[in-house]
Amino acid sequence: MYRLFSSKMGILKAVLDVSIGGDDDAVAMAERPQVHAVLGDEDPVGLLTRFTALLHEVMARVGPVHRILADAARADPEAAALLAEIARQRQEGQRRIARALARSGALRPGLRERDAADIIHALASPEVYGLLVADRSWSGRRYESWLSATLLSQLLP
């Protein structure tokens, strides 16, 4: 294993990559067809509904691995750096959702694109998913429905 991945962190990163993408293809999440389908939906409700469905699918795979990484990050600087990089990438992807909504004029009056991106980042976080699904025993479908309704009410008029 160490010959292939060089370290425990290398193994964890490989598991995360497969968990996030759902396969071992070397394609960034932002370039995957599912993401293009979300961002290509011109209906703001459809865009957010597709986004929450995709997020539910990804979180179901990556949630437990993310918790392992978060625990490791408390004591391991390399794990902390990986966790920060994943958060940065997630934030950039979620910023694209806010940007698409802002460009279409769909954000509720007075809501800035940056604030919409922050709302998405907070609500669509692995921590909230873990709290509701793992800790509070919500089903994945309940989480998806709640997140969709919450984002719709927070972002759209």
Side-chain angles (χ1 to χ4, degrees):
M1 290 293 276
Y2 283 106
R3 193 175 321 144
L4 290 171
F5 299 105
S6 75
S7 67
K8 287 185 218 175
M9 200 52 50
I11 294 168
L12 185 55
K13 181 163 181 1
V15 169
L16 271 168
D17 288 345
V18 169
S19 297
I20 292 168
D23 56 43
D24 61 354
D25 293 346
V27 178
M29 194 65 186
E31 299 307 318
R32 290 184 175 262
Q34 311 93 299
V35 173
H36 289 288
V38 168
L39 293 170
D41 196 325
E42 295 182 13
D43 172 39
V45 173
L47 185 147
L48 288 172
T49 302
R50 283 177 182 251
F51 169 67
T52 56
L54 177 59
L55 186 70
H56 166 221
E57 179 185 312
V58 171
M59 288 295 184
R61 292 189 306 260
V62 80
V65 182
H66 187 274
R67 281 190 160 200
I68 292 168
L69 177 60
D71 287 345
R74 291 187 187 114
D76 184 331
E78 192 178 352
L82 178 58
L83 186 64
E85 176 58 21
I86 288 168
R88 186 199 65 74
Q89 290 174 7
R90 186 172 58 81
Q91 187 173 32
E92 179 55 38
Q94 292 166 342
R95 191 175 295 125
R96 292 174 69 191
I97 301 294
R99 189 175 307 126
L101 293 170
R103 285 185 179 162
S104 71
L107 291 177
R108 69 178 160 79
L111 182 61
R112 298 179 314 165
E113 180 182 325
R114 178 186 172 132
D115 294 333
D118 289 345
I119 289 167
I120 295 167
H121 188 70
L123 293 174
S125 69
E127 293 81 10
V128 170
Y129 176 86
L131 175 69
L132 294 175
V133 175
D135 296 349
R136 303 303 306 159
S137 301
W138 281 26
S139 71
R141 289 285 173 221
R142 181 178 179 195
Y143 163 80
E144 182 182 331
S145 295
W146 168 83
L147 182 60
S148 183
T150 303
L151 288 176
L152 289 168
S153 72
Q154 290 296 305
L155 302 174
L156 304 183

